[in-house]
Amino acid sequence: MIIKRYFASWFFVWLTVLTYGQSDDTVIQVMTDSIEIINSAVVNNTQKLESILSNSTLVESMECTGFGVVRSGGPGLISTILYRGMASRHIGLLWSGFNIQSVVNGTYDAGLLKNTIGKAQYLSPSISIARGNASMGGAIDISPSLGNHNRTEVILDGGSDANFSLSVNNNITLSSYRHQISCAINKNANKYTYINGNNDKVKQTHAQMNQWDVSYHGKVLLSDHLSMNGNLWFQNSNRDIAPTKTSVYNAQRQEDENYRIAFGLDHYPCPSVKVSLKSAYFNEIIHYEAPGVFSKSNADIYNFALDASINNNLAFGYQYRLDDVNANFFHEQKVRSTIALYSSYKIYYNKLTVSGALRPEWVNGSFKPVTVNISSTYHLSSNMKLIASITKNYTLPSFNDLYWPQGGQLDLLQESSINFDIGIELVNNSQNELLITGYYNSIDNWIQWIPIDGLFRPINQRKVRNMGVEIKGKKSVKSGKNGLLNILLIYALTDSRLVAHYTNPDLIGKRSIFVPVHKMVLPVSYNIDNWKFVMSPLYYSKRYDTTDNSSFVKGYIVVDSEIQYSTQLTTDYKLALSFKIENTINANYENIRFYPMPLRLFRFGIRLYIH
């Protein structure tokens, strides 16, 4: 009943706005995104997540970053993202300004997220000031962004694995109204070939995954100083859980069903001041079945936020969140309420910019550690700057960590961390860039599930230390009259180790599981006239998968290649074609032990742009 009243009241306001809220005098600033305004006042570093390969998913885009390591069981199985040696529970996932990371299992399946939802970007750990718990390692923002053009995109994608997808994106821009509507259908049979333990080629036939997505993002200008926005996102995914190389298929299935609604008001009392009022409701359902197992969780999540910024220098706000979970594997309903305040202030002095921010939180009435960030940027020259940041934050245990009947631990401590990073950025122009970043992270009371007496249980490890270096370089060279060669180098060195343990000193000094020491990506593309040729090698060094480092997954090199062609059919129609070879060199590899990755695959894509 509460949900119905919530939706009905907002729908009435929204309908009234559409009918009476038009304005002839558009103020462009009012039509900008409130989330971007608040984020820019708090976050010291952002990075767009994109790939030079066409129609990339979020997972594929993350492979083209230095800080992101993908952990995946293969097509149709869960994919998660690790940040600088941290776990997936430490990276928030923001939609409409709110974190949709699961409060039940403390993570999310990045394989469900397509770039058609919106242009994703990574926000540094300082975003934890504005967005709170579960963003210790920063956040990935997939909030839809409204363009300033009228365009419809129709995208058809298919492959030799019998995977097919169709998506349609529509953008409308009027004087006082904008919207983006996206619809996507994926029918993935995932009939890929792999090499089994006997060195025989085997066809995978038990990894089918069907998915649909519908999303809407709209904004209406009510007056020269006031706008209203509304976001809807409905998502459903059904999949067969494929077996490992060493097991027999036993009809495991999982369904993810999500309904998300968000509304907001953005008000400019004057050009330099912005006030944003936002609310959102999420219904997140995970349903898993296997022989003798029936598991279902239903999470209702209510969000409210009042944010303000002045000149993008001063930001402050109030936030409230209620997580209400019913699951058939819990003995009773689980509820978590969070109240938070935050503030951030930037100071400019000649070539130096310094910002400080803090966030106190109360969870179920209990005061939590204050999240703090101090960041600075110093412009050494017109094209070179030095960036430094320190952030102190924390992550709460998930509901499964606390209440899982076969292993949950009510006495688990919350994780806390201190993150340092310093980097130098050199940009001669948009074609030549160099970014070198060093970092040091220390995490206390790291939560990890380990086997104890035959069952997996979560425990607090004493301390994990992560340190490393990330390098990103970009070089563009003109070739002939119309040719352009683009070279991108991304390298990450990650040293993640357990440096103290409460109960098992033998683990001290061991490397963190699933984290490769070396990662390198070297995408190369050549553009000439209407053609584009791409080759993207990816290297991961070995990853340990047991806490005592007694076993590991071998390192590997995978190369993707693609040919793209685009042509302007008429003034209003543009066509783009692509042919991609995934795993061009036919590498036999695993990302997770005993979970086979596909051998060589072929994929085609057709895009039609209508203006």
Side-chain angles (χ1 to χ4, degrees):
M1 185 61 67
I2 294 176
I3 300 171
K4 292 181 179 178
R5 290 200 300 266
Y6 168 88
F7 182 75
S9 60
W10 269 111
F11 180 78
F12 176 76
V13 174
W14 182 244
L15 184 63
T16 304
V17 167
L18 289 175
T19 306
Y20 302 106
Q22 303 298 317
S23 171
D24 295 329
D25 301 320
T26 302
V27 178
I28 299 299
Q29 190 178 23
V30 179
M31 295 297 279
T32 58
D33 216 341
S34 64
I35 300 166
E36 293 298 323
I37 295 294
I38 300 301
N39 285 350
S40 64
V42 177
V43 180
N44 66 297
N45 189 22
T46 65
Q47 180 177 336
K48 290 183 179 180
L49 302 183
E50 53 190 353
S51 171
I52 60 176
L53 299 169
S54 63
N55 201 24
S56 296
T57 65
L58 178 64
V59 169
E60 291 168 331
S61 297
M62 285 300 301
E63 296 285 28
C64 286
T65 68
F67 59 82
V69 172
V70 174
R71 179 173 180 258
S72 173
L77 298 180
I78 293 176
S79 299
T80 55
I81 297 168
L82 316 182
Y83 167 81
R84 291 181 174 177
M86 293 188 183
S88 57
R89 67 165 70 229
H90 300 139
I91 302 181
L93 186 71
L94 304 183
W95 179 79
S96 298
F98 298 105
N99 196 349
I100 64 173
Q101 188 183 66
S102 173
V103 70
V104 179
N105 57 27
T107 186
Y108 57 87
D109 182 2
L112 299 178
L113 305 173
K114 309 298 182 182
N115 277 356
T116 51
I117 296 172
K119 297 302 181 183
Q121 64 174 339
Y122 170 76
L123 309 176
S124 65
S126 55
I127 190 62
S128 58
I129 301 297
R131 303 305 164 205
N133 172 55
S135 53
M136 180 186 291
I140 298 171
D141 193 346
I142 59 168
S143 302
S145 57
L146 293 171
N148 57 0
H149 55 268
N150 298 313
R151 187 171 76 173
T152 299
E153 302 176 14
V154 182
I155 305 172
L156 175 64
D157 185 70
S160 59
D161 51 1
N163 290 0
F164 298 93
S165 67
L166 174 66
S167 61
V168 180
N169 306 312
N170 174 258
N171 291 269
I172 295 294
T173 299
L174 302 175
S175 60
S176 54
Y177 172 73
R178 297 180 185 178
H179 82 221
Q180 179 191 77
I181 298 176
S182 298
C183 303
I185 299 175
N186 300 287
K187 302 285 288 185
N188 295 340
N190 286 316
K191 294 182 178 180
Y192 58 88
T193 301
Y194 68 93
I195 296 178
N196 66 10
N198 296 323
N199 213 31
D200 298 323
K201 287 188 176 181
V202 179
K203 177 74 75 172
Q204 177 63 268
T205 58
H206 301 294
Q208 181 174 320
M209 181 174 181
N210 299 319
Q211 180 181 351
W212 59 264
D213 274 276
V214 178
S215 64
Y216 168 86
H217 177 41
K219 178 163 278 195
V220 174
L221 187 66
L222 303 178
S223 71
D224 290 348
H225 304 281
L226 181 66
S227 66
M228 181 177 181
N229 59 79
N231 303 328
L232 305 173
W233 184 14
F234 305 143
Q235 183 181 49
N236 180 274
S237 172
N238 282 277
R239 75 182 95 183
D240 292 328
I241 307 298
T244 67
K245 287 181 179 180
T246 59
S247 63
V248 178
Y249 180 65
N250 61 358
Q252 301 178 72
R253 291 188 57 81
Q254 179 170 317
E255 179 180 7
D256 296 82
E257 189 172 0
N258 306 302
Y259 300 90
R260 303 180 179 109
I261 306 169
F263 295 97
L265 291 170
D266 299 332
H267 179 52
Y268 279 92
C270 60
S272 61
V273 178
K274 180 150 191 179
V275 180
S276 299
L277 175 65
K278 301 188 293 292
S279 65
Y281 165 72
F282 306 148
N283 180 231
E284 313 276 352
I285 300 172
I286 302 177
H287 181 188
Y288 173 81
E289 288 187 55
V293 178
F294 178 85
S295 170
K296 188 172 184 179
S297 67
N298 189 326
D300 294 307
I301 302 166
Y302 305 86
N303 296 277
F304 173 83
L306 177 61
D307 301 317
S309 65
I310 302 174
N311 287 326
N312 278 357
N313 300 336
L314 173 63
F316 52 90
Y318 165 85
Q319 295 167 9
Y320 173 77
R321 173 174 173 136
L322 177 68
D323 297 288
D324 188 346
V325 176
N326 279 291
N328 63 356
F329 45 83
F330 292 158
H331 297 302
E332 58 185 14
Q333 185 177 5
K334 307 302 179 184
V335 177
R336 176 182 289 169
S337 64
T338 303
I339 296 174
L341 304 172
Y342 81 88
S343 62
S344 173
Y345 185 65
K346 287 184 179 180
I347 300 174
Y348 299 92
Y349 181 77
N350 292 333
K351 299 180 180 181
L352 178 66
T353 302
V354 179
S355 64
L358 55 85
R359 176 191 182 94
E361 268 188 0
W362 292 261
V363 178
N364 289 343
S366 176
F367 184 69
K368 296 299 177 181
V370 177
T371 305
V372 180
N373 171 261
I374 300 175
S375 303
S376 65
T377 301
Y378 183 76
H379 290 268
L380 300 170
S381 64
S382 59
N383 57 9
M384 184 183 298
K385 61 183 179 181
L386 187 67
I387 303 171
S389 177
I390 176 173
T391 306
K392 175 183 175 295
N393 46 25
Y394 80 102
T395 299
L396 291 170
S398 71
F399 282 6
N400 279 357
D401 293 334
L402 297 171
Y403 309 118
W404 186 257
Q406 284 80 36
Q409 303 292 320
L410 290 174
D411 58 352
L412 280 176
L413 303 174
Q414 64 203 12
E415 301 174 327
S416 61
S417 73
I418 297 181
N419 307 330
F420 302 87
D421 64 84
I422 183 168
I424 186 168
E425 181 177 345
L426 174 63
V427 181
N428 285 334
N429 50 55
S430 60
Q431 308 299 325
N432 299 284
E433 302 176 7
L434 177 63
L435 175 62
I436 302 175
T437 304
Y439 66 88
Y440 179 94
N441 302 329
S442 178
I443 303 100
D444 281 320
N445 298 317
W446 180 296
I447 298 173
Q448 187 171 64
W449 286 68
I450 63 172
I452 300 176
D453 298 329
L455 292 175
F456 275 84
R457 301 176 185 272
I459 66 165
N460 285 115
Q461 299 188 93
R462 179 65 185 92
K463 185 186 290 288
V464 174
R465 184 268 295 147
N466 304 327
M467 58 189 299
V469 177
E470 298 163 357
I471 300 173
K472 179 181 179 181
K474 178 182 178 181
K475 179 69 175 179
S476 297
V477 180
K478 289 186 177 181
S479 174
K481 184 178 179 180
N482 300 319
L484 181 64
L485 178 67
N486 293 298
I487 303 173
L488 182 64
L489 169 64
I490 296 171
Y491 171 74
L493 170 66
T494 306
D495 185 9
S496 177
R497 297 175 184 270
L498 184 69
V499 294
H501 200 281
Y502 283 117
T503 59
N504 191 350
D506 293 337
L507 298 180
I508 294 175
K510 302 298 183 182
R511 293 192 182 275
S512 299
I513 59 175
F514 310 129
V515 180
V517 176
H518 304 284
K519 174 187 177 180
M520 186 166 68
V521 192
L522 187 62
V524 179
S525 65
Y526 181 72
N527 300 60
I528 183 167
D529 298 325
N530 296 341
W531 294 89
K532 183 176 183 179
F533 305 89
V534 179
M535 181 170 288
S536 183
L538 167 67
Y539 167 70
Y540 276 130
S541 64
K542 69 179 182 182
R543 318 183 201 201
Y544 291 103
D545 56 5
T546 55
T547 55
D548 63 357
N549 292 177
S550 60
S551 66
F552 60 87
V553 177
K554 294 179 180 179
Y556 58 83
I557 298 176
V558 178
V559 180
D560 291 342
S561 307
E562 186 175 30
I563 299 175
Q564 303 171 15
Y565 174 78
S566 62
T567 181
Q568 194 74 41
L569 299 176
T570 66
T571 305
D572 297 326
Y573 292 86
K574 180 180 178 180
L575 179 66
L577 305 175
S578 64
F579 177 73
K580 185 190 302 182
I581 306 176
E582 297 180 355
N583 191 5
T584 307
I585 61 176
N586 214 30
N588 174 26
Y589 70 104
E590 296 172 338
N591 193 293
I592 300 175
R593 191 156 48 124
F594 303 134
Y595 284 89
M597 300 297 282
L599 297 175
R600 187 184 296 116
L601 293 173
F602 302 95
R603 198 167 303 283
F604 69 88
I606 303 173
R607 289 186 177 217
L608 180 64
Y609 303 91
I610 306 171
H611 294 273

